[in-house]
Amino acid sequence: MAEELGQKTKKSLVWSILDKIGSQFIGMLIGIISARLLCPEDFGTIGCLTIFTSISAFIIESGFGVAMLRKETISREEYSAVLYFNIGVSLTIYGVLFALSGSIEKFFSIDKLAAYAHVLFLILPINALCIIQYTQIRKQFKFKQFTYANLIANIISALSTIVLIHYNYGCWALVWQQVTLAATRTILLWFFNPFIPSQSPQFKIIRELFSYSSILALNYIITSAVGNIYNFILGKYFTTTDLGYYSNGRKYNDILSQVVIGNGISSVAAPSLAELNKNKTKQLHYLQKFGKLGFFTILPTLTLLSIVIEDIVTIVFTEKWLPMVPYFRILSLSGMLYPLQTLYQHFFLMTGHKNLSFMLDMVKNTLIIILAIVCILYFDRSPHYIVWSSVLAMFITTLLEIIYVRNLAGYKIKNQLTDYLPIFVRTIIVAVIVFVAGEQIHSLYMRLMTEGVLFIGLYFAITWFYDKELTKPIIEILHKK
């Protein structure tokens, strides 16, 4: 079983990361084009609606994805019940949000926001249609199908966005980008993974899944609301331009820390950890490998980008987007911890400790709210100080997770430090060398190229020659034992 799981994990990890890298490369490309041709206010306008789509998406999903992933067998009748339930809930929520769109427009005082909302909120019932396909793909380790669907959908969405921008549709281009992506991906997932719903759905599974997923759903809803609190604060108390800078800074940070690396690894780690619930020794082994893979990848990546981000923004996005640089750098500090925190959260969920996962998220959410209020009251309501609250909350929560992983998995703090600290030290040493060298170069393009090549070369050279043991877990997870 271990050998079979290792082979499935290796293939799934490759396809999952390929999906994230490919999809986000396309997303970044269209994002760059959009940023050059549109203004920050356009991005801020759509950003005001993000909190509603995020919370609603979690209400619709209700934590059923994780609950079904843990369940060993699910019949077609049970899958059908979940599908019908999700469709019904999504249509209800869409109707409520449609009716409230006028009030949302008045609250933010943004013209045409209600019209944008009517179309953008369509992604909720559209995404609800493919929860079964996504769950089956993860349970069966068929990530190749999702990769194909996602890449094709991103290409079609990108092309449609470029056309709309070309014809001066402004905010509408950003709205239809998301709707087209969701619709195309759903159609392709049904094509690659057909599912014929049963006419005799067994709705009793809803009660069974909800008994496990209810606290997850509540957790997801609260976390999503708090995670988007900055969109609310910046959109309401500052300007849509400020929100546009923050949204883009956060988007490109999230692409790396969450979508590509964090979720790319955790989407494979979750079913792997769940399958090893009866073999705690092997489960700990996989937990260590996934943790080192995430930290080894994200820490140097975001460190390098924090050094060169100002030059990249100037060259790629133009100088009008330079105010997004501080947001990116601040959020990078919490982004460095995201893959590790997500992995530990999946460990808690896959081993049945959903209450612990909920408690830790509530600690983080409470800290974010309290610290944001403090920043508003005592730091002249600076948007930069407000965003710092998420970084501090992430650090505190990660420390708590490290302690609980020690208790539940036997992953001693000393061993965690032994695994992660060398990566941190080497990254800092390389970062200092690269930063000092870059300060001596005045040419924008030459500095960017030199810093990039020097950082990557030094990082891998030091890792390889100073401590080859550090690369073994990463090699092991990519190659069959």
Side-chain angles (χ1 to χ4, degrees):
M1 175 186 128
E3 184 176 356
E4 181 184 353
L5 178 61
Q7 184 68 11
K8 289 192 296 184
T9 300
K10 181 192 75 172
K11 292 181 179 179
S12 299
L13 183 61
V14 170
W15 279 108
S16 179
I17 293 180
L18 178 62
D19 163 39
K20 306 304 179 185
I21 293 176
S23 298
Q24 296 309 314
F25 174 78
I26 297 170
M28 289 178 65
L29 184 62
I30 192 61
I32 291 171
I33 295 174
S34 301
R36 292 181 69 92
L37 298 178
L38 301 177
C39 61
E41 184 179 0
D42 293 326
F43 289 87
T45 298
I46 304 305
C48 291
L49 300 175
T50 302
I51 186 170
F52 301 101
T53 55
S54 298
I55 296 175
S56 299
F58 286 126
I59 294 175
I60 294 167
E61 203 271 341
S62 303
F64 286 174
V66 173
M68 287 190 292
L69 197 61
R70 292 185 75 251
K71 188 174 173 63
E72 290 187 10
T73 58
I74 304 178
S75 67
R76 184 166 70 95
E77 290 74 18
E78 291 173 328
Y79 272 129
S80 300
V82 174
L83 176 62
Y84 295 147
F85 178 81
N86 273 30
I87 292 174
V89 172
S90 66
L91 290 174
T92 301
I93 292 177
Y94 176 76
V96 172
L97 290 177
F98 189 98
L100 292 175
S101 296
S103 299
I104 296 174
E105 178 178 310
K106 291 180 181 178
F107 179 83
F108 286 105
S109 301
I110 299 175
D111 292 337
K112 298 182 180 179
L113 190 62
Y116 300 142
H118 292 161
V119 177
L120 182 63
F121 292 156
L122 285 172
I123 65 176
L124 300 174
I126 293 173
N127 284 331
L129 289 170
C130 60
I131 183 175
I132 303 304
Q133 278 72 18
Y134 187 52
T135 300
Q136 291 179 337
I137 284 171
R138 295 183 72 187
K139 285 180 73 70
Q140 299 167 16
F141 288 85
K142 295 181 179 179
F143 288 85
K144 181 178 180 179
Q145 296 177 344
F146 189 80
T147 299
Y148 283 150
N150 217 22
L151 288 178
I152 295 173
N154 272 277
I155 292 173
I156 294 175
S157 172
L159 292 175
S160 66
T161 304
I162 292 174
V163 171
L164 290 172
I165 292 176
H166 176 73
Y167 285 102
N168 299 318
Y169 275 85
C171 285
W172 281 114
L174 301 178
V175 171
W176 281 107
Q177 178 185 9
Q178 297 187 47
V179 176
T180 304
L181 175 62
T184 309
R185 180 170 53 209
T186 297
I187 293 171
L188 289 171
L189 284 175
W190 275 82
F191 174 77
F192 289 127
N193 197 80
F195 175 75
I196 302 176
S198 171
Q199 295 181 359
S200 305
Q202 295 182 6
F203 284 101
K204 65 179 181 180
I205 193 178
I206 301 298
R207 188 185 308 110
E208 178 185 343
L209 294 176
F210 196 72
S211 65
Y212 178 85
S213 67
S214 56
I215 193 168
L216 295 181
L218 179 61
N219 183 14
Y220 292 155
I221 293 167
I222 296 175
T223 300
S224 178
V226 175
N228 286 281
I229 193 173
Y230 307 106
N231 292 50
F232 176 84
I233 293 174
L234 295 176
K236 176 63 178 178
Y237 297 104
F238 294 90
T239 67
T240 51
T241 301
D242 290 321
L243 178 54
Y245 292 135
Y246 164 77
S247 296
N248 252 20
R250 178 177 176 178
K251 179 175 74 173
Y252 291 105
N253 186 284
D254 288 352
I255 284 176
L256 292 167
S257 63
Q258 297 187 23
V259 181
V260 174
I261 298 176
N263 295 343
I265 293 174
S266 64
S267 62
V268 179
S272 300
L273 294 173
E275 194 163 329
L276 291 170
N277 269 330
K278 296 180 181 179
N279 189 340
K280 297 301 180 183
T281 302
K282 194 70 176 178
Q283 190 178 61
L284 173 59
H285 183 53
Y286 269 70
L287 183 67
Q288 287 180 283
K289 291 197 295 183
F290 280 116
K292 292 190 70 173
L293 176 61
F295 204 61
F296 177 84
T297 309
I298 191 61
L299 186 62
T301 301
L302 287 182
T303 300
L304 171 59
L305 285 174
S306 294
I307 294 173
V308 303
I309 186 63
E310 189 169 341
D311 291 342
I312 290 178
V313 170
T314 302
I315 295 172
V316 177
F317 296 95
T318 70
E319 293 184 355
K320 70 179 179 181
W321 281 100
L322 282 176
M324 71 175 264
V325 171
Y327 292 111
F328 181 91
R329 286 174 171 163
I330 295 171
L331 292 169
S332 290
L333 296 175
S334 59
M336 292 172 184
L337 295 174
Y338 183 84
L340 185 63
Q341 186 175 89
T342 303
L343 174 66
Y344 285 175
Q345 286 281 5
H346 275 81
F347 168 75
F348 298 144
L349 294 175
M350 293 301 103
T351 54
H353 297 90
K354 63 180 184 297
N355 292 335
L356 175 60
S357 177
F358 177 79
M359 183 271 289
L360 290 171
D361 273 337
M362 290 309 99
V363 170
K364 181 174 68 175
N365 294 332
T366 302
L367 286 171
I368 288 175
I369 293 173
I370 292 175
L371 293 172
I373 293 173
V374 170
C375 289
I376 291 175
L377 295 177
Y378 297 102
F379 290 95
D380 299 324
R381 288 173 56 178
S382 167
H384 295 157
Y385 285 119
I386 292 173
V387 177
W388 270 106
S389 63
S390 66
V391 177
L392 182 56
M394 182 69 116
F395 270 86
I396 295 174
T397 310
T398 303
L399 290 176
L400 292 174
E401 288 185 340
I402 288 173
I403 294 172
Y404 280 107
V405 166
R406 176 200 62 183
N407 297 337
L408 298 175
Y411 195 4
K412 298 179 181 179
I413 295 179
K414 177 183 177 181
N415 293 338
Q416 294 185 61
L417 290 176
T418 301
D419 285 340
Y420 304 134
L421 191 57
I423 302 173
F424 176 79
V425 173
R426 290 175 177 79
T427 301
I428 294 301
I429 292 174
V430 172
V432 171
I433 295 174
V434 170
F435 179 78
V436 172
E439 287 294 298
Q440 314 307 314
I441 304 174
H442 300 291
S443 171
L444 192 66
Y445 292 92
M446 182 61 67
R447 180 170 63 241
L448 179 60
M449 183 176 66
T450 301
E451 289 175 335
V453 173
L454 184 61
F455 191 102
I456 295 172
L458 283 176
Y459 179 73
F460 282 103
I462 293 176
T463 301
W464 179 255
F465 290 106
Y466 184 79
D467 190 358
K468 292 183 180 180
E469 292 295 317
L470 188 60
T471 61
K472 282 188 176 181
I474 295 136
I475 295 174
E476 286 178 1
I477 204 169
L478 295 176
H479 293 275
K480 183 179 179 181
K481 297 179 181 178

